[in-house]
Amino acid sequence: MSAETGIGAAVKRREDLRFITGRGTYTDDLNVPGQTYGVFLRSPYARAKINAIDAADALQVDGALAVFTGQDAAVDGLGDLPCGWLVKSKDGSDMVSAPHPPLAVSQVNYVGEPYGLVVAESLAAAREAAELVAADFEELTPVVAAAEAAKASPIHEGLEANLAYDWELGDEAATDAALAAAAHVTRLDLTNNRLIPNAIEPRAALATFDPTSGEYELRTTSQNPHLERLVLSAFVQIAPEHKLRVVAPDVGGGFGSKIFVYAEETVVTWAAAKVGRPIKWTAERSESFLADAHARDHVTHAELGLDEAGRFTALKVRTTANLGAYLSLFGSSVPTFLYGTLLAGQYKTPNIHVQTHGVYTNTTPVDAYRGAGRPEATFVVERIVEAAARETGRDPAELRRLNMIEPGDFPYETPVALVYDTGNYQASLDRALQLVDYGGFKQRRAASEAEGKRRGIGFSCYIEACGLAPSQLAIQLGAGVGLYESGEIRINPTGSVTVFTGSHSHGQGHETTFAQVVSDKLGVPFDDVEVVHGDTGRVEFGLGTYGSRSLAVGGSALISAADKIIAKGTRIAAHMMQAEPDNVAFEEGAFISGNQRLTLQEVAFASYVPADYPPDLEPGLSEKAFYDPENFTYPAGAHIAEVEVDEATGVVQLVNFVAVDDFGHVINPMIVDGQVHGGLAQGAGQALLEHGIYDADGQLTTGSYMDYCMPRADDVPDFTVDTTVTPCTHNPLGAKGCGEAGAIGSPAAIINAVTDAVGTEDIAMPATPEQVWRKLHGL
Amino acid sequence: MNPFNYHKPSTLAEAVALHRDAEDPAYLSGGHTLLPTMTQRLAAPSDLIDLEGLAELTGIAAEDGTLSIGAFTRHAEAAASAEVAGTLPALAELAEGIGDAQVRNRGTIGGSLANSDPAADYPAAVLALNAVIHTDRRQIAADDYFRGLFETALEEGEIITRIDFAIPSRAAYEKFPNPASRYATAGVMVADFNGTVRVGVTGAGPCGCRAHAFEAALSAHLDPAALDAAELPAIDFNSDLHASAEYRAHLVRVLAQRATARLVAAP
Ligand SMILES: Cc1cc2nc3c(=O)[nH]c(=O)nc-3n(C[C@H](O)[C@H](O)[C@H](O)COP(=O)(O)OP(=O)(O)OC[C@H]3O[C@@H](n4cnc5c(N)ncnc54)[C@H](O)[C@@H]3O)c2cc1C
């Protein structure tokens, strides 16, 4: 296939022309005749009873059309927002789910929780009316900190406690015994700071209802429009699926925050039928801070046992995970199945036990965000391994190498339920050590010291599980849906190709990568392949994009569909060439038998104009496939960070970062580099800058960019990135997924570098200047 | 944002008259403080009086030991001005360090000083460079100008027209940016007027202030070490998410020392 556009080529992203020239079409860019505007009423309190809502004055505003409350939605039978993953406590009981009405009915449970919708002719009128809605709240004592939540009185009426589940994985007795027998035990208390996603495009929804057909159309900022439709249809029960079309047009970033089905698009869709007019809602940035699902927020105690030689004998982890006020769509799975299963890391630790308490607090719900559970797991494993190296006087790289699963050990079954198919962790570590010039570190440290700066180096040899997920396994573990993906390839009569995928691109570049895959596989020109995604009206089904699954699962579905195209094409071509199908080969876009040759285009044309055609074959050349992965994929790599710490101010500057990742086969190295760069910047944000902070009253004190610190270009160095390759053994592309690795591996590497520089393990994320200054000077 | 009347007067007198006659007026310069408060519905002036285009508020000139900057000068203009760079490079550097490119292309020195945000950069320079603030009706000395949190000596309807900075023999500005907003968590300008040193501090307290003990110490001995034990300004240091009062006070000393070190090292 063409070296410029095939698999492995750094093709420029075709979608960038419209993005960079401002011609993307985002939800808020869409306008429809008769459109009205919605503004949500949001709780100013972390916890309060709603005594009454009086909309009389609001409805007097010129242009105000309607005010809807939770009561109205309840009367109409609008269902609760579901959690899609049932986690069981260790005693076998189901997790405790707090009912989650799209609009709060009798009680609000976090600042920003919507309790009403105002609809008006203009946005200005809607805002003015919203200010005039008089809500009578009775404040209740909120529970804010996760660490205290389990003991505090329950925030939800009718629930016995704030503990949603007490989950465990692994063998506790064996782990305790191994720790008791260990030559050395390293103990570490860790927090994983709450993050707020901050996609560049805020969430938005534009809903229309056609009373003549009973059809709803929802255009919204979603990473998975089919899942959105499924939930709105099956759980919220707005309309059956054939009467509900969900379109996710251009979506400006998600990082997980646009996976979930939220109150806003749900209510706007329902209300569009009530007012009989289309309704548009676009979040303001301050609403995004309050109402997009937050991330991380763990408190953890971990213990790692080592034998005399430094071999890990056991890892015990106790985590309290803040789930927020309600269980968001996948909120329950993130600190359990996406976290505990990764605690083996790259190591042969024989005994592992993890316990997670998922707790409710009066804060914004917490759910998946770039990495979802794996950054938290990596932070625990890689921080404690680094600490153990320091405590036992071992080189951190060598201690890791000593404990790594070796290339000959695969497939490797961990004590926490996963089977790693393949990998070569030593190779990525070796390459990273070489790129960072580990031997030269002492000199660099001395040079920094000469300038009043302390220099530190930190490692993170991470592993993650992505390509969610073998459906049966996922469902067995509590998932409410299978996690396969669909793909369809339509060879048009004149030979151009339209590809339909259930994956969704919101910045990842699928329109380019997937076209590369199909053009390579079918031997058709790259420019002849168009990729369609993000529309339940055009794409049959899909589970969307998250968990770095698009290429490994969605791409594999396209390979299956392409195989079907080739199989059918072979039969048509064989008939046309009067050959046996078994004697027809498909090479570089052509069917070949002896010295006869028919291009895919010629065969496609024949399939639509079936004059000389196999009698037992349907016309047309269009094939669908559902691909269900056999296993997760296991990207892994070695990240090394170097920081300089200013003695006088505590300012940490990330001065060097090397990432060597094994993503299996790479389709487009430029896109992969971009994904890694973005992930690393996000990881640097978590490690050094970002922090979602609530005060004791449950008010979000970091609710704008004045206080919530996003990483900027000058906060990160020029990253050095490289890849090593062990192809995934169980999907046809040999691909593993690269979307999250940067954010998964880097926080631990950076904090390991900071703790190295400062000389204490006690540095919490983010490593802010004041915190570091206090630690440096023992204040 | 609520509806409002928009005016674009062409003389200073007209602007003042419009302000006097309107119900709840506000002057508009770069709008980088005013407009966000309006979109958040925290401010709802009845009339916006745009100061762009008033000749009295424009122009940069250096003469007789004074650098005069028109109130409508945008931060980017001040940063790029040859007059500023030639006479007061520390001020050009300060302007270049305000916010980001968009902010610098809109925000003005007059708007910044009228607003007197505790974390704004210019107050440090106004105080260190013994500036005189000219308005439509009078001149205000730097030491009389800053009164408290968002509080200045300006009267109702008074317009800043220009700021006259005394040109020192040398000066240096050091800023510790708030990592999120990049306003000044603390900022210190040290200016040497032939051995008499003035030190202007911003970000640390409710408004800009001078560090008198620092000035005395540096006037006696122009060396960063002179500040090791010098007394901090007697203000209520701000405390917020990004810096406690204790840390801010420490930063003020460190920044003053760094500014002094640069100033001493300057050719
Ligand atoms: C994202 C962001 C980052 C920023 N970062 C920094 C920073 O790092 N450092 C910093 O110093 N500043 C910073 N600023 C502030 C900015 O630089 C402006 O200086 C500030 O917003 C005020 O100037 P303006 O011209 O925009 O005034 P406006 O917003 O137009 O006006 C502000 C107030 O002053 C009044 N006013 C305006 N001009 C006059 C006048 N000539 N006479 C009397 N009253 C007047 C107005 O009525 C209003 O009350 C930042 C702002 C933003 C939005």
Side-chain angles (χ1 to χ4, degrees):
Chain A
M1 191 53 245
S2 156
E4 288 96 65
T5 58
I7 286 178
V11 183
K12 283 199 179 148
R13 305 199 323 169
R14 44 163 67 151
E15 43 272 82
D16 283 346
L17 181 60
R18 68 178 195 275
F19 292 155
I20 289 171
T21 58
R23 275 174 265 190
T25 307
Y26 298 90
T27 300
D28 191 57
D29 294 326
L30 301 166
N31 292 294
V32 292
Q35 168 181 309
T36 67
Y37 297 82
V39 165
F40 282 90
L41 303 169
R42 295 188 181 277
S43 171
Y45 302 113
R47 185 162 176 251
K49 273 204 163 10
I50 305 173
N51 286 333
I53 298 172
D54 180 355
D57 289 350
L59 290 168
Q60 295 304 308
V61 168
D62 203 17
L65 295 169
V67 176
F68 299 107
T69 65
Q71 205 66 52
D72 299 326
V75 166
D76 268 21
L78 208 62
D80 282 352
L81 298 174
C83 176
W85 199 302
L86 180 76
V87 169
K88 286 182 187 292
S89 284
K90 63 184 179 197
D91 65 6
S93 61
D94 288 353
M95 66 186 185
V96 180
S97 298
H100 189 186
L103 292 176
V105 181
S106 57
Q107 186 173 315
V108 285
N109 286 303
Y110 65 94
V111 172
E113 180 174 0
Y115 64 88
L117 171 70
V118 177
V119 182
E121 295 283 354
S122 69
L123 186 55
R127 288 223 181 101
E128 194 181 335
E131 273 177 11
L132 293 175
V133 173
D136 175 13
F137 288 109
E138 186 183 324
E139 274 190 81
L140 303 168
T141 309
V143 173
V144 182
E148 280 113 57
K151 278 172 252 134
S153 64
I155 62 168
H156 290 287
E157 216 170 282
L159 299 195
E160 278 170 24
N162 293 320
L163 187 69
Y165 49 72
D166 173 3
W167 177 86
E168 70 170 349
L169 183 65
D171 186 335
E172 184 170 19
T175 303
D176 282 341
L179 281 172
H184 180 86
V185 179
T186 294
R187 298 182 172 82
L188 209 53
D189 288 302
L190 298 162
T191 54
N192 205 289
N193 43 330
R194 179 179 281 241
L195 302 179
I196 301 176
N198 284 297
I200 194 165
E201 180 206 19
R203 286 192 293 118
L206 172 59
T208 61
F209 175 67
D210 178 351
T212 63
S213 63
E215 275 174 30
Y216 290 83
E217 185 169 325
L218 168 64
R219 297 171 226 203
T220 190
T221 48
S222 176
Q223 299 180 210
N224 32 231
H226 292 86
L227 198 61
E228 177 91 37
R229 182 182 66 169
L230 180 68
V231 169
L232 292 185
S233 190
F235 295 91
V236 185
Q237 300 199 324
I238 287 180
E241 281 168 285
H242 68 297
K243 295 292 185 190
L244 176 58
R245 179 175 178 183
V246 178
V247 181
D250 282 335
V251 174
F255 310 114
S257 71
K258 293 171 182 168
I259 299 172
F260 325 120
V261 177
Y262 287 94
E264 290 86 356
E265 71 266 18
T266 303
V267 171
V268 159
T269 306
W270 162 73
K274 308 263 313 169
V275 294
R277 304 257 301 267
I279 306 176
K280 179 193 267 192
W281 165 78
T282 303
E284 295 189 6
R285 184 56 67 179
S286 38
E287 285 184 282
S288 306
F289 272 100
L290 293 172
D292 288 3
H294 290 182
R296 319 279 195 252
D297 207 346
H298 286 193
V299 182
T300 292
H301 175 77
E303 301 186 1
L304 177 70
L306 295 84
D307 67 15
E308 290 292 351
R311 291 204 168 74
F312 306 153
T313 58
L315 176 66
K316 182 171 176 172
V317 176
R318 296 283 170 271
T319 292
T320 301
N322 193 342
L323 302 171
Y326 301 98
L327 295 177
S328 176
L329 192 61
F330 291 115
S332 56
S333 65
V334 176
T336 51
F337 292 106
L338 300 182
Y339 168 70
T341 50
L342 271 303
L343 288 168
Q346 299 187 352
Y347 312 111
K348 291 191 270 195
T349 315
N351 302 292
I352 300 176
H353 182 254
V354 50
Q355 177 189 63
T356 301
H357 286 171
V359 296
Y360 290 113
T361 61
N362 292 110
T363 63
T364 297
V366 175
D367 206 327
Y369 170 72
R370 204 168 194 169
R374 290 100 83 207
E376 295 92 317
T378 300
F379 192 66
V380 171
V381 174
E382 291 304 298
R383 282 286 295 115
I384 202 162
V385 166
E386 194 95 6
R390 289 173 191 157
E391 282 181 5
T392 61
R394 291 184 165 88
D395 179 277
E398 290 318 308
L399 181 64
R400 285 177 168 85
R401 197 193 305 277
L402 175 71
N403 284 283
M404 275 175 181
I405 298 159
E406 285 163 66
D409 295 338
F410 295 101
Y412 178 84
E413 188 173 355
T414 73
V416 276
L418 295 179
V419 179
Y420 299 166
D421 61 337
T422 183
N424 186 341
Y425 311 139
Q426 292 80 0
S428 41
L429 178 60
D430 287 344
R431 181 75 182 127
L433 288 170
Q434 184 189 11
L435 286 172
V436 85
D437 178 20
Y438 191 38
F441 176 70
K442 278 201 179 75
Q443 265 171 319
R444 294 195 293 281
R445 172 174 265 178
S448 299
E449 271 165 13
E451 289 179 19
K453 304 264 171 77
R454 293 207 196 175
R455 198 178 184 101
I457 190 164
F459 296 81
S460 174
C461 293
Y462 75 93
I463 187 160
E464 57 157 327
C466 50
L468 280 165
S471 291
Q472 288 198 6
L473 177 64
I475 291 166
Q476 215 174 46
L477 297 179
V481 284
L483 287 162
Y484 47 82
E485 193 48 273
S486 85
E488 180 180 352
I489 297 176
R490 212 179 274 170
I491 315 291
N492 299 309
T494 55
S496 66
V497 181
T498 310
V499 171
F500 300 83
T501 175
S503 297
H504 180 267
S505 184
H506 35 281
Q508 294 88 345
H510 295 3
E511 290 167 35
T512 303
T513 318
F514 283 21
Q516 282 180 263
V517 168
V518 171
S519 115
D520 192 293
K521 174 84 185 173
L522 292 180
V524 294
F526 174 73
D527 287 337
D528 287 359
V529 183
E530 192 71 22
V531 177
V532 175
H533 65 98
D535 183 347
T536 65
R538 295 187 71 191
V539 180
E540 176 170 311
F541 195 67
L543 286 153
T545 287
Y546 38 82
S548 306
R549 67 192 301 273
S550 291
L551 185 66
V553 190
S556 294
L558 292 176
I559 294 292
S560 303
D563 283 337
K564 292 186 187 176
I565 293 276
I566 294 168
K568 185 170 178 184
T570 301
R571 290 186 62 193
I572 302 166
H575 178 90
M576 292 169 74
M577 297 188 287
Q578 297 181 338
E580 281 302 313
D582 284 350
N583 296 334
V584 174
F586 183 72
E587 274 166 32
E588 307 215 347
F591 297 92
I592 293 163
S593 168
N595 55 7
Q596 298 186 86
R597 188 174 183 275
L598 281 169
T599 65
L600 180 63
Q601 287 82 351
E602 288 168 314
V603 170
F605 189 79
S607 78
Y608 289 97
V609 187
D612 177 17
Y613 201 70
D616 55 343
L617 206 59
E618 291 173 15
L621 195 53
S622 174
E623 295 288 348
K624 288 173 189 165
F626 280 71
Y627 177 82
D628 201 348
E630 263 174 44
N631 190 354
F632 293 91
T633 62
Y634 299 97
H639 289 185
I640 306 178
E642 278 182 42
V643 299
E644 276 188 343
V645 178
D646 182 344
E647 292 254 11
T649 61
V651 168
V652 175
Q653 187 70 36
L654 183 57
V655 291
N656 192 11
F657 200 100
V658 171
V660 178
D661 299 294
D662 179 357
F663 300 133
H665 284 146
V666 167
I667 307 301
N668 184 323
M670 184 191 65
I671 289 181
V672 167
D673 282 357
Q675 290 287 311
V676 173
H677 284 204
L680 294 178
Q682 261 170 313
Q686 165 152 37
L688 300 174
L689 305 165
E690 299 184 45
H691 200 182
I693 302 174
Y694 284 93
D695 69 14
D697 297 328
Q699 295 290 337
L700 182 67
T701 52
T702 52
S704 84
Y705 293 132
M706 294 301 281
D707 289 306
Y708 188 88
C709 187
M710 296 292 288
R712 292 165 165 93
D714 62 349
D715 289 315
V716 294
D718 279 342
F719 301 117
T720 305
V721 302
D722 199 3
T723 52
T724 54
V725 179
T726 60
C728 169
T729 59
H730 56 80
N731 69 42
L733 287 163
K736 297 181 181 178
C738 70
E740 296 159 295
I744 290 170
S746 58
I750 294 167
I751 294 299
N752 283 337
V754 176
T755 50
D756 181 42
V758 177
T760 169
E761 295 302 334
D762 184 21
I763 299 265
M765 295 194 288
T768 58
E770 176 160 3
Q771 186 201 168
V772 171
W773 172 71
R774 288 187 178 280
K775 294 285 150 58
L776 277 170
H777 301 283
L779 295 166
Chain B
M1 197 182 284
N2 288 323
F4 54 84
N5 301 312
Y6 174 80
H7 310 274
K8 195 162 184 193
S10 47
T11 66
L12 190 57
E14 201 188 324
V16 174
L18 279 165
H19 196 283
R20 186 188 55 225
D21 297 340
E23 188 191 323
D24 181 16
Y27 293 124
L28 175 69
S29 283
H32 260 53
T33 292
L34 186 55
L35 298 184
T37 55
M38 289 170 67
T39 54
Q40 289 176 291
R41 302 170 78 91
L42 298 170
S46 63
D47 294 75
L48 280 192
I49 304 163
D50 194 338
L51 301 183
E52 179 162 20
L54 296 186
E56 297 91 333
L57 271 61
T58 59
I60 302 179
E63 245 180 335
D64 301 334
T66 300
L67 176 68
S68 180
I69 300 185
F72 204 86
T73 304
R74 305 196 194 268
H75 309 322
E77 290 175 66
S81 152
E83 278 79 13
V84 180
T87 55
L88 254 170
L91 192 65
E93 187 188 313
L94 176 151
E96 181 62 36
I98 293 176
D100 50 41
Q102 289 96 323
V103 171
R104 291 192 292 276
N105 284 332
R106 296 297 304 171
T108 66
I109 185 168
S112 176
L113 291 174
N115 187 51
S116 185
D117 190 301
D121 290 287
Y122 272 124
V126 165
L127 289 158
L129 301 171
N130 201 13
V132 176
I133 290 158
H134 294 249
T135 75
D136 62 301
R137 56 199 75 162
R138 58 180 171 147
Q139 302 181 6
I140 309 171
D143 288 335
D144 300 330
Y145 182 76
F146 299 102
R147 294 286 170 83
L149 191 63
F150 295 105
E151 233 189 277
T152 68
L154 291 179
E155 295 165 357
E156 185 63 24
E158 190 168 6
I159 299 180
I160 301 177
T161 54
R162 64 171 214 264
I163 299 95
D164 286 354
F165 293 97
I167 299 173
S169 15
R170 44 192 178 165
Y173 180 64
E174 282 285 320
K175 171 182 187 173
F176 189 91
N178 172 317
S181 75
R182 303 236 168 151
Y183 271 88
T185 293
V188 178
M189 184 175 278
V190 177
D192 172 20
F193 292 89
N194 297 318
T196 305
V197 175
R198 286 177 66 106
V199 180
V201 177
T202 193
C207 62
C209 67
R210 284 171 64 192
H212 293 288
F214 285 15
E215 293 179 354
L218 292 174
S219 297
H221 191 48
L222 193 52
D223 184 321
L227 299 180
D228 283 349
E231 233 173 278
L232 287 159
I235 53 166
D236 262 343
F237 281 93
N238 298 328
S239 184
D240 59 31
L241 280 180
H242 303 280
S244 66
E246 183 189 4
Y247 181 57
R248 260 201 178 75
H250 167 74
L251 288 178
V252 166
R253 188 185 307 281
V254 171
L255 296 175
Q257 289 179 317
R258 288 184 175 176
T260 305
R262 281 179 60 194
L263 180 141
V264 172

